Structures are given as structure tokens and as C-alpha cells.
């Protein structure tokens, strides 16, 4: 099932999600399948559960855009354990469609999380994967990438979105 993506302004995007405590359940596995399907339909490389209105600490990532099944990642209750280096690049968000900004992030990121079966793992990603680890983990903490841009740019973006909301173009 393809879920609609929740847009900026919805409170679920700005509060910390709840930890997942039950693993390998039919409900969790179905949610993960639906999240991958929703992410691919929206042409994203990552999707956090709050972006589909579910306040749980789970995200899916696929930097291959569905081209390489080995690239599919599920991160549950993730935490960032190490960041190294710097990269700057354009970043967007499925919950803030039509907007992209230059964001400075770590170049190499080590993440600790759980798999769908509850097994703990640690993984290091570089470049786009490092950016995805940080972006999706922040979603689960109630933060969006726009917290990394200047206050002026963020303010301009928010004003454009408010104008779109008044015009009925942002629902």
C-alpha cells in the first residue's frame, strides 16, 4: 500500500517518535513493505515512519532507488554513534516537496540500529548514505533538514509554504 506523504506543518513531523519494542511481527513487516513502496512511489531514497503519519522510530533507505535489492536498509530505533569529515550538498525532503537547499553534513556516519527481526547492528555509510542516515534519524527525533539551513532561508521557505497553504496548494 502506498501511503500519502505527510507534509511540513503536520505536528507528527516535529515530535520525537516512539521506540519500537516488538519485532518481526506481521504488522511491522507489512509496514516496512508499505514504507518501501511509498518511498519508491515518491522517488525518495529514504522514508521515516513519521512522514506517513506513524510516530514510530523506523525508517527505510535505498540509495539505489530500487535498482539494487542489496541496498535496501531498515533502521529501527537508530542512533548515530560517530560522525567524521564534512560534505556539502543539495538536500530535499519528501515532506517538503519542491524545495531543495545546500546542507552541510558529516561525510562518514556510523549508525547503530535494529533490523526488522530485532537484531542489533552497526553500519558506517559515506556520502549519500551518510546523509540519509542523518536525515532519517533526525526525522525520528522530530527534526527536519531545514534546521541546518540559515534562519533567513528557512524563514523564506516557511513563508512560501504558508502562501501555498492559503492558496490550497499545500495539503
Amino acid at each position: 500500500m502506498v501511503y500519502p506523504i505527510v507534509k511540513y506543518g503536520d505536528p507528527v513531523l516535529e515530535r520525537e517518535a516512539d521506540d519500537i519494542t516488538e519485532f518481526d511481527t506481521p504488522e511491522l513487516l507489512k509496514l516496512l513493505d508499505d514504507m518501501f513502496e511509498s518511498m519508491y512511489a515518491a522517488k525518495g531514497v529514504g522514508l521515516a515512519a513519521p512522514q506517513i503519519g506513524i510516530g514510530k522510530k523506523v525508517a527505510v533507505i535505498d540509495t539505489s532507488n530500487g535498482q539494487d535489492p542489496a541496498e535496501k536498509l531498515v533502521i529501527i530505533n537508530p542512533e548515530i554513534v560517530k560522525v567524521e569529515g564534512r560534505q556539502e550538498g543539495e538536500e530535499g525532503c519528501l515532506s517538503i516537496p519542491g524545495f531543495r537547499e545546500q546542507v552541510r553534513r558529516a561525510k562518514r556516519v556510523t549508525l547503530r540500529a535494529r533490523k526488522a527481526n530485532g537484531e542489533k547492528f552497526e553500519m558506517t555509510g559515506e556520502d549519500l548514505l551518510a546523509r540519509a542516515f542523518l536525515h532519517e534519524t533526525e526525522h525520528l527525533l522530530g527534526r527536519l533538514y531545514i534546521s541546518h539551513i540559515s534562519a533567513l532561508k528557512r524563514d523564506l521557505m516557511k513563508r512560501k509554504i504558508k502562501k501555498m497553504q492559503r492558496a490550497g496548494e499545500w495539503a
Side-chain angles (χ1 to χ4, degrees):
M1 174 180 136
V2 174
Y3 280 88
I5 305 295
V6 172
K7 288 190 179 172
Y8 175 76
D10 189 306
V12 74
L13 295 173
E14 296 188 46
R15 64 177 170 257
E16 185 170 351
D18 297 325
D19 283 345
I20 289 192
T21 55
E22 293 183 41
F23 301 91
D24 231 0
T25 64
E27 297 80 16
L28 177 61
L29 299 176
K30 170 87 170 94
L31 173 63
L32 293 171
D33 285 344
D34 291 346
M35 286 178 69
F36 275 111
E37 193 177 341
S38 300
M39 178 185 72
Y40 294 137
K43 309 248 185 297
V45 297
L47 182 71
Q51 291 183 276
I52 56 170
I54 297 171
K56 295 285 184 189
K57 281 190 181 163
V58 58
V60 296
I61 297 171
D62 182 353
T63 57
S64 80
N65 292 36
Q67 300 305 305
D68 181 358
E71 295 290 314
K72 287 174 73 169
L73 284 172
V74 170
I75 57 172
I76 298 174
N77 304 337
E79 56 183 290
I80 303 298
V81 293
K82 188 175 182 183
V83 294
E84 303 170 82
R86 289 178 99 57
Q87 64 170 312
E88 188 162 329
E90 197 174 70
E91 199 165 317
C93 178
L94 296 175
S95 292
I96 312 175
F99 294 89
R100 297 187 70 78
E101 289 293 336
Q102 289 293 314
V103 177
R104 190 173 293 135
R105 297 269 195 189
K107 183 165 182 57
R108 188 174 160 89
V109 174
T110 302
L111 170 111
R112 186 176 299 138
R114 290 181 181 262
K115 297 179 180 180
N117 65 5
E119 180 187 334
K120 291 181 181 179
F121 72 97
E122 200 169 284
M123 184 175 185
T124 300
E126 292 190 23
D127 302 318
L128 180 58
L129 185 55
R131 184 175 293 279
F133 281 170
L134 292 167
H135 184 107
E136 301 311 325
T137 299
E138 285 182 356
H139 264 302
L140 303 176
L141 297 172
R143 290 197 305 265
L144 300 171
Y145 85 94
I146 60 172
S147 67
H148 295 284
I149 63 176
S150 74
L152 177 64
K153 285 184 178 180
R154 189 169 46 251
D155 207 41
L156 286 170
M157 186 185 290
K158 287 179 178 181
R159 276 195 249 153
K160 284 180 187 174
I161 291 169
K162 278 194 171 88
K163 189 176 179 181
M164 292 168 77
Q165 285 171 326
R166 284 192 299 274
E169 299 165 1
W170 190 273

